[in-house]
């Protein structure tokens, strides 16, 4: 027997030597960023049971943990746990002490024997967590790596409630309990929280029991029977009101500071409908036992998708000041809700694959807006998403990114915004049925487990029957986007439109399906689709018996690209008149207003656009109108006066009032401003009062 062990050790040493060589030869990219492999699974988490109580003065957590793990495949005699800045008091198995080494980051436990993959084993750890002592490399990250945060712990700040909450992503929950703090681990959990009786607690799963203790404290017992990743573990403690809501049999609760309780539904009220909507489009019914959301103080991010216990920054309270029908936080609420399918149910196996969580959550918001508020609104939000991507650097980052300096670097507009646009392309290229069926397949195949980007590709391929390597290679494994220069002429002799599409970006060059709408003078159109090959310039000859009134490339703005299409003012005016998509109308208005010859016909078009069906474009037209031009002012004024008083959207009324208040003869509109100052709408009131004070 001994011989075998020596052979095993020798093989292990050779193996370690070889892997060390491998790492040494492929560890950085051209920019010196390190290669980040998917964390190796030696032991797998199975179950985490915690008993915690808190020292508010020292900002420390006293913890007992029973951690059940299982060897992944090979037999093990050691367990390595992430445990940041803790004091480790005792480590035992079945009541017997175990040897361990601890360097403030990793707790290496020598097991009492070799365990193989058929057997679970449970380790007991008695420890003190000291989040204030957690030091992470990089000054920026310190603020975000404490894992557990004591807010106004001594209660001395009269303007701030005392709270404790946690933030696990990326790998910070190991600052309050020892774990294998990697996204490719999953564990069920039980947490006993002992707190002063005046506090309420929140954690993942269901509250099973509350026991009052003799010393003025209470112990709450939370249990989560479904496995999820350690970074999604959450506890929140403080004086909160709990406002109850429901979706089917699923409890949906909102935890807010007590004085905000009357506004809970105003902030979170659409949550049940979101659970319903996302359950329908994924064809996977919301898989968790409840859905709670808590607004905490001094949060380190916007919001976090902790499974069944979402945390929100206090920015969510700003909704209270908003008009009925608006909710600036609703996109965030939808984002975190959709994470319960993409992120919590199926988790990106490594931070390199983060976009599998974030692109879907971001795109979920788009789908929610489209369903709830219509295409124009959703597209106007997509425009913001695109602007967010184009305005930031980082085009040279791959969407799936194996080389990076810090994990936090991946939480950028590439993983979120660009990732969402790439899903939109897949959605539109493959069609509704394929896209949503592939979503379902991906979720079913990897539920309560992890995935990498290629598993999403394979789900799409299996459903559609198409090969999608060409798409994934350039959009998921590569970086950048096309910059297109599109020119077209009409050859009367052959009756063909000659369409030249050049890619002017340095690299890489893309291939993609593309389409144009070709318009006749009467506004009727034909849609043509073709394939742009991977080369600097593609020329297409499209049969069309008469000279087209307009050739409109990529009418629905599906391709993620910068497009220069060399349209004239006449083209833009025609486009606004006949093309129906949000982007077509938006771009037409933008270019008409920017055109040097925009007076005359351009202004006439902007006046027409004051009656656009979408309120966002009515505001844009108001904004772009040149009222210094006498002719324009004369024609537009009656419409603006009507908008200021009767537009169905308060925001449009307010902008119309502002526009009127900028005119030299603003005194003529005093009656309208006075009427507006008594409006039940806050924005109309504010604009009117400002207009009144300006016209004195
Ligand atoms: Zn997210």
């Amino acid at each position: 027997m001994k011989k075998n062990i020596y052979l095993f050790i020798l093989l292990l040493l050779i193996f370690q030597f070889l892997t060390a060589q491998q790492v040494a030869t492929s560890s950085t990219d051209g920019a010196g960023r390190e290669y980040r492999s998917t964390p190796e699974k030696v032991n797998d988490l199975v179950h985490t049971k915690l008993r915690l109580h808190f020292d508010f003065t020292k900002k420390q957590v006293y913890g007992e943990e029973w951690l059940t793990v299982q060897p992944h495949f090979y037999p093990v005699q050691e367990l390595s746990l992430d445990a940041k800045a803790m004091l480790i008091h005792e480590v035992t198995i079945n009541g017997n002490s175990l040897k361990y080494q601890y360097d403030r980051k990793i707790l290496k436990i020598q097991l009492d024997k070799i365990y193989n993959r058929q057997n679970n084993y449970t380790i007991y750890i008695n420890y003190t967590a000291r989040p204030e002592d957690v030091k992470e490399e990089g000054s920026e990250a310190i603020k975000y790596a404490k894992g557990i945060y004591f807010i106004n712990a001594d209660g001395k700040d009269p303007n701030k409630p005392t709270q404790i909450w946690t933030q696990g992503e990326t790998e910070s929950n190991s600052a309050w309990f020892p774990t294998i703090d990697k996204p490719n681990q999953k564990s069920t959990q039980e947490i006993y929280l002992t707190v002063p009786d005046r506090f309420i607690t929140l954690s993942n799963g269901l509250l099973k029991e509350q026991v009052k203790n003799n010393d003025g404290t209470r112990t709450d017992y939370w249990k989560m029977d479904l496995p999820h990743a350690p970074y999604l573990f959450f506890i929140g403690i403080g004086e909160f009101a709990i406002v109850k809501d429901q979706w089917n049999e699923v409890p949906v609760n909102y935890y807010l500071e007590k004085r905000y309780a009357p506004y809970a539904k105003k902030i979170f009220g659409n949550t049940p409908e979101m659970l319903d909507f996302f359950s329908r489009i994924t064809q996977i019914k919301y898989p968790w036992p409840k859905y709670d959301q808590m607004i905490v103080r001094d949060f380190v991010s916007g919001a976090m998708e902790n499974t069944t216990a979402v945390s929100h920054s206090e920015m969510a309270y700003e909704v209270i000041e908003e008009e009925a029908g608006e909710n600036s936080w609703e996109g965030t609420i939808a984002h975190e809700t959709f994470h319960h399918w993409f992120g919590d149910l199926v988790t990106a196996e490594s931070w390199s694959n983060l976009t599998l969580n974030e692109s879907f959550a971001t795109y979920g918001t788009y789908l929610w807006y489209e369903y709830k508020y219509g295409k124009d609104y959703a597209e106007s939000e997509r425009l913001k998403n695109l602007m967010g991507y184009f305005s930031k650097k980082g085009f040279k980052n791959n969407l799936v990114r194996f080389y990076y300096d810090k994990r936090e670097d991946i939480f950028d507009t590439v993983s979120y915004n660009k990732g969402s646009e790439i899903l939109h392309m897949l959605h539109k290229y493959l069609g509704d049925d394929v896209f949503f069926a592939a979503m379902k397949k991906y979720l079913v195949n990897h539920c309560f487990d992890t995935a990498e980007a290629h598993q999403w590709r394979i789900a799409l391929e299996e459903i559609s029957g198409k090969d999608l390597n060409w798409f994934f290679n350039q959009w998921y494994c590569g970086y950048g986007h096309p910059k297109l220069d599109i020119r077209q002429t009409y050859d009367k002799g052959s009756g063909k439109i000659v369409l030249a599409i050049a890619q002017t970006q340095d690299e890489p060059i893309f291939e993609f399906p593309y389409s144009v709408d070709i318009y006749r003078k009467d506004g009727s159109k034909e849609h043509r689709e073709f394939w742009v090959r991977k080369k600097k310039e593609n020329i297409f000859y499209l049969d069309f018996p008469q000279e087209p009134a307009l050739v409109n490339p990529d009418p629905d703005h599906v391709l993620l690209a910068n497009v220069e299409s060399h349209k004239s003012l006449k083209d833009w005016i025609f486009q606004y008149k006949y093309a129906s998509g949000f982007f077509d109308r938006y771009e037409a208005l933008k270019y008409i207003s920017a055109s040097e010859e925009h007076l005359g016909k351009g202004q006439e078009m902007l006046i027409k656009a004051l009656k656009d069906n979408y309120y966002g474009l009515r505001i844009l037209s108001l904004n772009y109108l040149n009222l210094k031009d006498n002719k324009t002012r004369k024609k537009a004024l009656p419409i603006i006066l009507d908008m200021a008083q009767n537009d169905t959207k308060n925001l449009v009324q307010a902008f119309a009032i502002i526009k009127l208040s900028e005119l030299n003869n603003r005194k003529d509109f005093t009656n309208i401003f006075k009427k507006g100052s008594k409006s039940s709408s806050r924005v109309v009131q504010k604009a009117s009062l400002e207009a009144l004070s300006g016209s004195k």
Side-chain angles (χ1 to χ4, degrees):
M1 283 296 281
K2 268 185 184 171
K3 246 185 187 173
N4 281 346
I5 290 176
Y6 286 136
L7 184 66
F8 177 69
I9 292 169
L10 185 67
L11 285 171
L12 199 73
L13 284 171
I14 292 169
F15 177 70
Q16 276 176 347
F17 175 74
L18 287 173
T19 39
Q21 291 297 305
Q22 251 177 1
V23 169
T25 52
S26 66
S27 62
T28 54
D29 69 353
R33 293 176 295 198
E34 214 172 301
Y35 177 74
R36 311 287 176 174
S37 58
T38 298
E40 186 180 355
K41 290 178 172 183
V42 180
N43 284 288
D44 291 343
L45 293 178
V46 175
H47 184 70
T48 307
K49 181 175 159 184
L50 298 169
R51 267 186 187 279
L52 306 176
H53 64 278
F54 307 89
D55 186 327
F56 285 81
T57 319
K58 290 184 181 163
K59 299 185 182 177
Q60 291 183 348
V61 186
Y62 301 117
E64 287 184 285
E65 178 176 44
W66 293 262
L67 185 65
T68 305
V69 294
Q70 185 166 19
H72 182 76
F73 189 89
Y74 301 106
V76 300
Q77 200 171 359
E78 189 180 89
L79 172 64
S80 269
L81 297 175
D82 299 288
K84 298 195 176 86
M86 292 179 182
L87 296 173
I88 304 294
H89 308 300
E90 192 185 9
V91 181
T92 66
I93 192 163
N94 302 322
N96 301 317
S97 289
L98 292 175
K99 283 187 186 153
Y100 61 86
Q101 290 170 302
Y102 182 52
D103 64 358
R104 288 176 58 98
K105 280 184 182 172
I106 304 287
L107 176 62
K108 251 186 205 163
I109 302 167
Q110 302 303 314
L111 303 174
D112 54 342
K113 59 174 185 160
I114 293 174
Y115 287 84
N116 61 44
R117 69 181 191 274
Q118 282 81 28
N119 303 113
N120 288 345
Y121 59 95
T122 300
I123 299 281
Y124 168 80
I125 305 167
N126 188 329
Y127 65 94
T128 302
R130 302 177 298 171
E132 300 302 312
D133 291 2
V134 172
K135 299 273 183 290
E136 286 275 287
E137 292 87 5
S139 57
E140 223 179 315
I142 291 173
K143 191 177 154 204
Y144 301 102
K146 281 186 198 176
I148 187 160
Y149 296 76
F150 287 76
I151 307 302
N152 192 23
D154 56 13
K156 283 184 182 160
D157 185 343
N159 300 314
K160 208 175 265 185
T162 298
Q163 296 179 350
I164 299 175
W165 46 262
T166 62
Q167 166 58 29
E169 199 172 28
T170 49
E171 297 176 6
S172 296
N173 274 342
S174 49
W176 58 280
F177 64 97
T179 187
I180 305 171
D181 204 351
K182 299 293 170 193
N184 61 347
Q185 293 284 339
K186 296 229 167 174
S187 170
T188 50
Q189 79 186 57
E190 290 168 276
I191 303 187
Y192 293 84
L193 295 167
T194 300
V195 297
D197 197 23
R198 70 177 195 280
F199 290 142
I200 72 102
T201 71
L202 173 63
S203 187
N204 318 87
L206 296 174
L207 178 61
K208 291 284 185 184
E209 196 179 63
Q210 295 188 294
V211 178
K212 289 203 181 196
N213 307 314
N214 295 330
D215 58 354
T217 65
R218 195 188 68 248
T219 301
D220 289 355
Y221 169 46
W222 290 88
K223 190 160 187 277
M224 172 76 153
D225 289 325
L226 299 168
H228 65 147
Y231 75 88
L232 296 166
F233 281 39
F234 175 81
I235 56 174
I237 295 164
E239 289 178 275
F240 292 93
I242 305 172
V243 177
K244 291 187 188 298
D245 206 343
Q246 184 114 1
W247 174 66
N248 294 341
E249 71 287 4
V250 179
V252 176
N253 298 323
Y254 315 127
Y255 290 64
L256 312 84
E257 286 171 40
K258 285 174 183 164
R259 63 193 159 125
Y260 297 122
Y263 308 102
K265 294 266 169 89
K266 185 172 182 184
I267 301 168
F268 293 118
N270 281 336
T271 307
E273 195 179 344
M274 287 176 189
L275 293 171
D276 196 69
F277 172 69
F278 291 135
S279 294
R280 275 192 288 116
I281 62 166
T282 58
Q283 297 176 66
I284 306 282
K285 190 173 165 272
Y286 176 71
W288 310 98
K290 60 104 156 105
Y291 194 79
D292 288 339
Q293 297 175 86
M294 175 180 260
I295 302 178
V296 300
R297 286 291 187 111
D298 297 349
F299 196 46
V300 288
S301 176
M304 178 64 207
E305 67 268 24
N306 318 298
T307 319
T308 77
V310 172
S311 45
H312 289 272
S313 131
E314 64 209 81
M315 283 186 285
Y317 287 132
E318 287 168 20
V319 174
I320 294 168
E321 299 297 321
E322 290 172 357
E323 305 258 316
E326 294 166 35
N327 184 334
S328 59
W329 204 251
E330 189 166 314
T332 306
I333 295 168
H335 179 109
E336 307 308 333
T337 306
F338 205 38
H339 264 313
H340 280 67
W341 285 260
F342 293 92
D344 296 3
L345 181 63
V346 178
T347 309
E349 68 163 27
S350 65
W351 303 118
S352 301
N353 284 279
L354 178 73
T355 198
L356 286 181
N357 298 357
E358 297 306 343
S359 64
F360 279 100
T362 307
Y363 196 51
T365 299
Y366 172 83
L367 295 171
W368 163 257
Y369 281 146
E370 187 186 29
Y371 150 80
K372 185 72 180 166
Y373 303 110
K375 186 90 183 159
D376 279 341
Y377 185 75
E379 289 284 84
S380 73
E381 289 292 316
R382 191 159 77 85
L383 171 69
K384 287 186 204 161
N385 190 59
L386 278 163
M387 285 159 80
Y389 167 66
F390 286 125
S391 69
K392 292 268 164 59
K393 288 178 186 138
F395 295 146
K396 290 215 164 180
N397 287 325
N398 292 355
L399 187 64
V400 177
R401 209 173 311 165
F402 288 101
Y403 294 89
Y404 55 85
D405 291 327
K406 284 184 279 175
R407 294 187 293 270
E408 279 67 25
D409 295 348
I410 304 172
F411 291 75
D412 64 1
T413 58
V414 173
S415 298
Y416 285 69
N417 305 40
K418 186 187 181 189
S420 173
E421 291 305 316
I422 286 167
L423 289 178
H424 189 67
M425 278 196 277
L426 282 169
H427 183 182
K428 297 301 159 189
Y429 290 165
L430 299 170
D432 267 358
D433 292 348
V434 165
F435 185 72
F436 290 112
M439 248 189 198
K440 181 186 178 183
K441 189 163 192 72
Y442 168 85
L443 290 168
V444 168
N445 286 356
H446 308 288
C447 65
F448 302 109
D449 205 341
T450 60
E452 59 183 297
H454 288 298
Q455 284 161 326
W456 167 230
R457 172 176 60 81
I458 287 163
L460 288 158
E461 289 186 347
E462 282 180 5
I463 297 290
S464 68
K466 292 175 190 293
D467 174 77
L468 291 169
N469 275 305
W470 66 272
F471 186 93
F472 274 70
N473 285 345
Q474 57 190 12
W475 291 112
Y476 279 83
C477 308
Y479 64 86
H481 55 263
K483 280 188 185 151
L484 303 183
D485 186 278
I486 303 180
R487 292 174 191 271
Q488 38 103 7
T489 50
Y490 184 69
D491 182 18
K492 274 186 189 150
S494 61
K496 285 184 197 301
I497 297 164
V498 184
L499 190 69
I501 302 181
Q503 298 192 40
T504 60
Q505 75 276 14
D506 292 340
E507 52 147 347
I509 302 298
F510 289 75
E511 62 176 316
F512 45 88
Y514 208 57
S515 69
V516 291
D517 277 346
I518 309 170
Y519 285 86
R520 298 179 197 91
K521 287 191 176 61
D522 63 0
S524 64
K525 68 181 174 188
E526 277 182 33
H527 186 68
R528 299 283 173 85
E529 292 174 358
F530 43 88
W531 192 273
V532 173
R533 297 191 183 282
K534 207 172 199 155
K535 47 186 192 176
K536 274 273 181 190
E537 187 168 58
N538 282 257
I539 297 176
F540 299 93
Y541 299 90
L542 310 172
D543 287 324
F544 205 71
Q546 64 195 95
E547 185 157 4
L550 176 73
V551 176
N552 187 25
D554 194 20
D556 289 320
H557 277 244
V558 174
L559 181 76
L560 176 62
N562 292 122
V563 180
E564 172 55 75
S565 55
H566 304 284
K567 285 174 190 162
S568 65
L569 178 63
K570 190 169 144 253
D571 292 334
W572 291 119
I573 289 173
F574 185 92
Q575 176 169 319
Y576 182 80
K577 199 168 169 191
Y578 292 109
S580 59
F582 167 82
F583 277 92
D584 288 333
R585 280 140 64 216
Y586 162 76
E587 294 213 318
L589 294 178
K590 196 174 87 179
Y591 283 96
I592 289 168
S593 73
S595 161
E596 280 175 19
E597 13 155 21
H598 68 281
L599 291 175
K601 284 235 156 63
Q603 289 295 308
E604 274 173 39
M605 198 72 251
L606 288 174
I607 292 168
K608 283 205 178 109
L610 291 174
K611 292 182 175 168
D612 195 285
N613 282 334
Y614 179 54
Y615 76 94
L617 292 183
R618 295 202 291 279
I619 292 172
L620 198 72
S621 317
L622 263 177
N623 212 14
Y624 286 156
L625 265 184
N626 181 353
L627 295 184
K628 287 195 178 116
D629 175 50
N630 287 334
K631 215 171 141 195
T632 306
R633 194 174 59 247
K634 214 173 154 195
K635 274 193 179 170
L637 202 54
I639 304 171
I640 299 175
L641 288 172
D642 183 52
M643 289 168 98
Q645 300 171 87
N646 303 317
D647 197 281
T648 50
K649 285 279 178 185
N650 294 330
L651 213 53
V652 180
Q653 286 190 24
F655 272 97
I657 287 165
I658 292 168
K659 198 79 182 173
L660 292 174
S661 74
E662 287 165 2
L663 294 174
N664 288 333
N665 60 330
R666 55 185 169 265
K667 279 188 184 152
D668 298 349
F669 317 117
T670 306
N671 281 342
I672 290 176
F673 301 154
K674 276 186 180 161
K675 192 179 146 202
S677 70
K678 288 170 197 143
S679 167
S680 59
S681 154
R682 236 184 281 240
V683 281
V684 175
Q685 217 181 72
K686 188 164 176 269
S688 304
L689 288 170
E690 275 168 21
L692 279 172
S693 67
S695 50
K696 267 172 201 162

